[in-house]
Amino acid sequence: MADEPARASLIDGKAFSQTLVERVAAAAARLEATHGVKPGLAVVIVGEDPASQIYVRNKGETTQKAGMRSDTHRLPDTTTQEELLALIAALNADAGIHGILVQLPLPKHIDSAAVLDAIDPDKDVDGFHVVNVGRLAVGLPGMIPCTPLGSLMMLKDQLGDLSGLNAVIVGRSNIVGKPMAQLLLGESCTVTIAHSRTRDLPALCRTADILVAAVGRPEMIKGDWIKPGATVIDVGINRVPSKDPVKAAEGKTRVVGDVDFAEAVEVAGRITPVPGGVGPMTIACLLANTYTAACRSVGVTPDDLNS
Ligand SMILES: NC(=O)C1=CN([C@@H]2O[C@H](COP(=O)(O)OP(=O)(O)OC[C@H]3O[C@@H](n4cnc5c(N)ncnc54)[C@H](OP(=O)(O)O)[C@@H]3O)[C@@H](O)[C@H]2O)C=CC1
Ligand SMILES: Nc1nc(=O)c2c([nH]1)NC[C@@H]1CN(c3ccc(C(=O)N[C@@H](CCC(=O)O)C(=O)O)cc3)C=[N+]21
């Protein structure tokens, strides 16, 4: 029907991330040719969380595709805080390692804040160290958290100048919501951060030209929470039982976002799918940050990865 609103266009994070990984690979090859430095990433995972294992495996494979060194340190969940801190000290001192990522969440007996703060800020490719959080807040160059960085890249690619747009971020975690808000503020958006105590969340979401969902609740954000034509970034990665009851009974799962995609796609202007949206961009940005850290370690200005 002619007057029926068009469905949202999909923001293809998978394709975007492949382009970015190719650019990082080319830039890393140039760095190695000119300075003899091969960017190296160390990923540390404590315990056996199956979802984390998949994420860590994807990261390792993509890092090698980009022509970088990738070391994975798998530690048992009985690892003590002292043992973990000793490994981080060794990685801080290892000149072949430019990026260190400690997979979160950590087992309960380990103090995550103490672990993150033990990472050399110049090797903190997650951007979680307080020094990098502070640099982002005051607009100094540092390491920017991968998920917000990848989300911002997609937004700028889709919308160009973001200044003056109303951005609503649902979720205030240190790893997604807060750094996302800093980045969008830096782009001169009018930023609102919502969380579990927010009143009338649907009405607030309807004010958003840019809606970022980082909640961790499967399909919570409904179609009628979205302003027609808005751009929706769905950060959520939630495993839910398979739609097919037989498969569900066998324990099969599927991945959904924090946005009810089937409803949202009828209202939004543009939307990231899950999977295939923010997730692959997170991994590509991790490699970009590792390349940047390697450049800085030898005093080289990193190549522009946006073109
Ligand atoms: N695609 C990717 O690369 C990544 C995806 N993720 C995914 O993103 C999601 C969010 O992750 P993360 O930020 O670590 O999650 P956290 O659990 O740390 O934070 C969730 C936030 O959502 C808020 N919240 C919870 N329930 C509601 C509600 N009913 N209404 C409004 N706000 C609510 C919480 O509010 P309050 O503070 O008040 O408790 C909190 O601020 C998860 O699905 C995670 O798997 C995470 C990292 C990377
Ligand atoms: N120190 C630390 N840094 C992180 O960045 C970090 C972390 N800990 N802990 C866990 C969360 C989660 N996260 C994801 C990244 C990519 C995908 C991803 O590639 N997803 C694909 C595949 C999804 C699937 O099908 O399983 C997609 O969305 O298309 C998912 C999740 C990073 N996190």
Side-chain angles (χ1 to χ4, degrees):
M1 262 185 286
D3 57 356
E4 208 163 274
R7 278 165 62 94
S9 59
L10 293 193
I11 306 174
D12 189 345
K14 197 166 181 190
F16 196 139
S17 72
Q18 280 163 0
T19 305
L20 183 56
V21 169
E22 282 164 20
R23 286 180 185 155
V24 174
R30 285 192 293 275
L31 179 69
E32 195 173 358
T34 53
H35 291 80
V37 175
K38 190 185 183 76
L41 173 68
V43 173
V44 181
I45 174 166
V46 187
E48 291 292 325
D49 177 44
S52 288
Q53 301 276 4
I54 294 170
Y55 172 41
V56 169
R57 197 183 59 222
N58 285 349
K59 271 185 300 210
E61 283 170 5
T62 317
T63 316
Q64 267 151 4
K65 234 183 262 169
M68 295 184 177
R69 172 176 164 197
S70 167
D71 297 354
T72 304
H73 299 264
R74 289 176 204 276
L75 308 179
D77 58 14
T78 51
T79 304
T80 65
Q81 180 156 330
E82 289 65 36
E83 286 165 333
L84 184 54
L85 290 174
L87 172 60
I88 290 168
L91 295 171
N92 282 342
D94 183 341
I97 291 296
H98 307 95
I100 303 169
L101 180 148
V102 178
Q103 176 85 22
L104 299 176
L106 287 166
K108 286 191 182 58
H109 65 275
I110 293 177
D111 175 356
S112 303
V115 170
L116 295 181
D117 285 351
I119 298 170
D120 178 347
D122 294 336
K123 296 191 179 188
D124 169 36
V125 282
D126 259 330
F128 295 166
H129 191 287
V130 285
V131 165
N132 285 317
V133 176
R135 286 173 178 157
L136 177 60
V138 295
L140 284 173
M143 283 291 161
I144 298 173
C146 303
T147 300
L149 179 59
S151 300
L152 182 69
M153 282 183 183
M154 290 190 285
L155 283 169
K156 285 168 85 168
D157 178 63
Q158 292 286 318
L159 303 175
D161 182 12
L162 307 181
S163 63
L165 296 177
N166 285 345
V168 173
I169 299 152
V170 191
R172 56 172 160 179
S173 71
N174 290 335
I175 74 170
V176 189
K178 282 183 205 166
M180 188 77 240
Q182 294 286 8
L183 287 177
L184 290 170
L185 192 56
E187 298 297 324
S188 299
C189 291
T190 303
V191 178
T192 309
I193 309 178
H195 46 75
S196 66
R197 305 290 181 91
T198 296
R199 294 189 189 154
D200 200 355
L201 185 59
L204 180 68
C205 290
R206 278 192 290 272
T207 67
D209 304 306
I210 294 171
L211 181 62
V212 180
V215 194
R217 295 190 176 250
E219 301 175 324
M220 183 185 86
I221 292 178
K222 299 298 173 190
D224 64 0
W225 299 25
I226 294 167
K227 180 177 177 172
T231 301
V232 177
I233 302 290
D234 189 353
V235 177
I237 303 271
N238 306 292
R239 278 196 182 278
V240 297
S242 173
K243 267 185 188 160
D244 180 333
V246 177
K247 287 187 179 157
E250 291 166 353
K252 292 256 166 39
T253 61
R254 64 196 170 101
V255 174
V256 299
D258 292 339
V259 177
D260 186 325
F261 184 86
E263 289 187 18
V265 76
E266 303 294 341
V267 188
R270 306 152 198 260
I271 184 167
T272 58
V274 177
V278 176
M281 284 302 289
T282 298
I283 294 181
C285 287
L286 177 66
L287 304 192
N289 280 351
T290 304
Y291 161 72
T292 300
C295 288
R296 289 178 184 163
S297 77
V298 288
V300 171
T301 306
D303 290 349
D304 181 7
L305 297 171
N306 293 311
S307 54

